[in-house]
Amino acid sequence: MSKLSFENGKMIVPSCVTVPYITGDGVGAEITPVCQAVVDAAVKKAYAGERSIEWKEVMAGERSFNMNGEWLPEATLETFREYLIGIKGPLTTPVGGGIRSLNVALRQTLDLYVCQRPVRWFKGVESPVKEPQKVNMVVFRENTEDIYAGIEWKCGTPEAEKFLHFLQDEMNVQKIRFPETSSFGVKPVSVEGTERLVRSAIEYALENELPVLTLVHKGNIMKFTEGGFKLWGYALAENEFGNRVFTMMQYNELAKERGKIVADEALALARQEGRLVVNDVIADAFLQNTLLKPEAYSVIATLNLNGDYISDQLAAMVGGIGIAPGANINYRTGHAIFEATHGTAPDIAGENQANPSSLLLSAVMMLEYLGWNEAAKQITTAMENCFEAGKATIDLARFMAGGKSLSTTEFRDELIREMGGPIK
Ligand code: ATP
């Protein structure tokens, strides 16, 4: 077994990497082996047998429950902790109280503070917008605070009443319109939580030579939480990244002093010098802008709730809500779990119809995370070629002009053929 190690912020990657995986429930049983076969073929093709992945199954979800009575065995968490990375198919969330969602448990145990969602369009895939090719962004959604750490009290309970009295009597809050029938919610947003998220997003943008990092927030309404996110984000950019960034705050100062045209020139110069432009936008304006001028954005850093809306809208714009990949990452410890973002699709499970693309593109993210970009490129190129030729699973093919519906395993074979590899 070949473990990754993480030293001084750098991942040490052996030539054979052990990757723990959760097969997943429902269609997981079909898409996981397909994903592994395609990844193996890509790695083999890219490195002529000098690099490889050793897959190590760990249990979770219904499959685990049926085998050993546990939804998420401690051994699974321990394995992810030890091997740093992992990949997972969709999991059934246990019904009934008491058991945390498995995804939440994984995220919290490993403190995976970034939910990363790349969004791009594949030629051939039907989209509801006119120019989907202009949508190319990576969303960094904060994964541990805001509503994920939100606290709520239901109206009519003694707790809500106690909280109401605290607000009215001790905090002198008078503006609650219907106090007796209100539920209450509180959400924390911290300096540390913001900084680690924004730092990771800026580092990602710089490493990948992307032009703009945008902080998306509702700081005009929630001044200290969402507004804090914006201010702390800008401060971090200026303090930690100095000349490598050019922030909108610096731009505004320049515009005040010397006029807008000079500032525009400064912005153009910043781009020319390879400096990352760091700006911000209010969440509602951002959602409009993504439809009007999506090309203005490349990396997005945002809070938890905004990130939820944004990730799904952007995925829908590229017609990819069913193929959107995702990862939950802690860039400080190196821990990362890559995952299919769709559910278990029980309605089509067992029919060899499921689209493996979401999991496959998550595997692409994983390969890039390891620095195995050549193997990642093999897979994306094969997918580009298949989709452009109208070859896809039925969920996508039925909307493609001249689309040809393939089964899950036929799609696997097409991808491997595209990469010039042998078909298993
Ligand atoms: P869960 O309860 O696990 O969330 P669900 O069926 O409620 O499952 P999804 O699994 O996200 O939610 O499915 C929503 C719809 O999208 C279903 O009709 C499903 O068949 C379809 N779907 C989801 N994933 C895929 C996939 N990988 N390939 C093809 N269709 C899919």
Side-chain angles (χ1 to χ4, degrees):
M1 299 265 161
S2 308
K3 276 184 215 160
L4 296 169
S5 53
F6 197 70
E7 288 162 26
N8 303 322
K10 282 259 168 302
M11 187 72 87
I12 316 290
V13 183
S15 56
C16 173
V17 178
T18 301
V19 176
Y21 71 93
I22 294 171
T23 299
D25 301 320
V27 292
E30 293 150 78
I31 60 177
T32 294
V34 161
C35 171
Q36 291 172 343
V38 174
V39 170
D40 286 343
V43 171
K44 198 166 172 190
K45 173 83 194 219
Y47 307 112
E50 284 183 6
R51 291 183 189 174
S52 60
I53 286 180
E54 185 175 43
W55 302 98
K56 178 181 170 64
E57 182 164 20
V58 290
M59 300 308 290
E62 201 167 13
R63 193 172 145 86
S64 166
F65 186 75
N66 292 341
M67 280 169 92
N68 56 30
E70 285 183 275
W71 287 96
L72 183 60
E74 186 52 38
T76 295
L77 290 173
E78 199 39 56
T79 306
F80 281 136
R81 211 175 276 131
E82 195 179 330
Y83 287 86
L84 291 180
I85 61 167
I87 186 161
K88 62 183 260 299
L91 292 176
T92 305
T93 294
V95 240
I99 309 168
R100 276 182 305 173
S101 142
L102 303 178
N103 294 331
V104 175
L106 284 170
R107 213 168 51 222
Q108 286 181 346
T109 308
L110 300 172
D111 193 21
L112 305 172
Y113 62 87
V114 173
C115 174
Q116 192 184 103
R117 294 279 184 94
V119 190
R120 60 155 290 189
W121 178 67
F122 283 90
K123 199 168 181 185
V125 173
E126 192 177 77
S127 152
V129 298
K130 281 191 199 141
E131 297 181 299
Q133 72 281 4
K134 289 186 174 173
V135 185
N136 194 357
M137 302 178 211
V138 181
V139 179
F140 279 66
R141 172 188 178 198
E142 207 290 327
N143 220 10
T144 62
E145 315 197 288
D146 189 17
I147 58 156
Y148 266 180
I151 310 149
E152 289 197 307
W153 297 282
K154 188 176 168 187
C155 70
T157 61
E159 289 80 10
E161 199 178 330
K162 196 167 173 183
F163 188 67
L164 173 66
H165 286 307
F166 167 72
L167 289 177
Q168 291 179 327
D169 304 342
E170 293 185 41
M171 304 301 283
N172 198 25
V173 174
Q174 304 302 336
K175 64 179 175 187
I176 302 166
R177 181 68 186 82
F178 299 111
E180 301 311 323
T181 59
S182 289
S183 288
F184 296 98
V186 172
K187 64 172 199 175
V189 176
S190 70
V191 177
E192 284 100 318
T194 300
E195 286 187 344
R196 65 181 184 172
L197 187 270
V198 176
R199 182 183 297 116
S200 300
I202 293 180
E203 280 168 354
Y204 180 94
L206 289 170
E207 248 164 55
N208 291 283
E209 297 178 6
L210 298 167
V212 190
L213 178 286
T214 306
L215 304 164
V216 181
H217 60 90
K218 279 292 287 180
N220 54 334
I221 306 295
M222 290 169 275
K223 294 198 166 36
F224 303 124
T225 49
E226 307 249 344
F229 180 86
K230 169 185 135 177
L231 290 180
W232 302 324
Y234 272 130
L236 174 116
E238 288 175 15
N239 296 338
E240 291 192 10
F241 295 91
N243 280 343
R244 302 181 71 196
V245 300
F246 180 73
T247 69
M248 215 54 198
M249 296 293 215
Q250 291 167 328
Y251 169 96
N252 288 339
E253 282 306 307
L254 213 60
K256 246 192 279 167
E257 273 172 35
R258 297 162 61 185
K260 192 166 179 315
I261 294 174
V262 177
D264 276 348
E265 280 164 11
L267 205 58
L269 197 64
R271 288 220 168 109
Q272 244 176 43
E273 285 173 1
R275 284 165 71 169
L276 172 71
V277 172
V278 178
N279 59 18
D280 76 280
V281 60
I282 306 289
D284 40 68
F286 175 76
L287 288 172
Q288 278 191 47
N289 290 347
T290 55
L291 293 168
L292 301 172
K293 47 170 185 172
E295 67 278 14
Y297 301 106
S298 48
V299 181
I300 310 304
T302 191
L303 302 100
N304 189 270
L305 181 59
N306 299 331
D308 193 14
Y309 305 143
I310 288 169
S311 305
D312 277 12
Q313 162 164 327
L314 292 176
M317 282 171 63
V318 292
I321 204 146
I323 64 169
N328 295 305
I329 305 174
N330 181 325
Y331 281 95
R332 292 202 293 205
T333 61
H335 285 109
I337 297 195
F338 301 85
E339 62 184 1
T341 59
H342 56 75
T344 57
D347 52 335
I348 55 163
E351 293 178 9
N352 197 17
Q353 268 190 31
N355 186 347
S357 300
S358 173
L359 194 60
L360 253 179
L361 289 170
S362 305
V364 166
M365 293 174 78
M366 180 180 82
L367 292 168
E368 286 169 351
Y369 189 72
L370 296 176
W372 292 11
N373 295 336
E374 301 80 4
K377 187 87 179 68
Q378 286 287 331
I379 300 176
T380 41
T381 307
M383 287 175 78
E384 279 163 7
N385 292 343
C386 280
F387 291 149
E388 197 172 348
K391 293 178 197 161
T393 46
I394 186 164
D395 54 311
L396 297 182
R398 67 187 158 164
F399 299 117
M400 290 171 162
K404 177 176 180 329
S405 291
L406 302 176
S407 69
T408 312
T409 46
E410 284 168 345
F411 184 57
R412 169 200 65 193
D413 293 348
E414 275 305 321
L415 291 172
I416 295 176
R417 190 174 291 124
E418 278 291 339
M419 292 188 277
I423 311 256
K424 274 193 185 173

